[in-house]
Amino acid sequence: ELSTVYELLNRSLAVANELGHNDVVIMLDQAIYAKGQEIVCKHPNEFSRVVLRMGEFHILCTFLAVIGKRFMDAGLRDIMVESGLVGPSAVGAVLAGKHYNRAIRSHKV
């Protein structure tokens, strides 16, 4: 919920003020990151010292989804299924970056 993320940003700024820090770097998962960015964009003056970062795991999942989307129609889906790397029912989730372990194994090959 936006109010919870808003409170998180405010508390983070309060802690930074107590510690005497100028900026606040906050790492969030993908869903909360999107809500945080929405709040920061709506209140740029209030949260000008806040830097939001998406966690590395979610960045990697997004990167895998980009690769899957880019090369799915170029035959990547068929190669994964026909080689036996991924089953036909799971290949869509692998290419969307949802099945992390399967996606990493498939892209390494």
Side-chain angles (χ1 to χ4, degrees):
E1 190 166 322
L2 287 177
S3 62
T4 305
V5 179
Y6 185 82
E7 182 65 24
L8 168 80
L9 296 176
N10 277 325
R11 287 189 185 198
S12 298
L13 282 173
V15 170
N17 289 336
E18 287 180 25
L19 296 174
H21 292 282
N22 292 329
D23 298 316
V24 180
V25 179
I26 305 172
M27 290 188 73
L28 305 165
D29 72 357
Q30 190 172 6
I32 298 174
Y33 172 81
K35 292 179 181 182
Q37 283 290 43
E38 183 180 338
I39 292 169
V40 168
C41 288
K42 284 184 181 178
H43 307 280
N45 295 328
E46 185 176 351
F47 297 113
S48 63
R49 298 172 33 214
V50 173
V51 177
L52 297 179
R53 289 201 50 212
M54 193 169 15
E56 283 83 7
F57 173 75
H58 291 96
I59 291 172
L60 187 55
C61 288
T62 303
F63 184 66
L64 290 169
V66 169
I67 291 172
K69 186 171 185 172
R70 174 74 173 101
F71 294 107
M72 180 176 11
D73 293 333
L76 185 58
R77 171 187 293 272
D78 298 331
I79 290 171
M80 287 182 170
V81 172
E82 290 176 15
S83 67
L85 284 171
V86 181
S89 60
V91 72
V94 167
L95 293 174
K98 302 294 182 192
H99 289 295
Y100 174 77
N101 290 332
R102 289 181 187 173
I104 290 295
R105 184 185 54 197
S106 300
H107 287 291
K108 281 183 180 179
V109 173

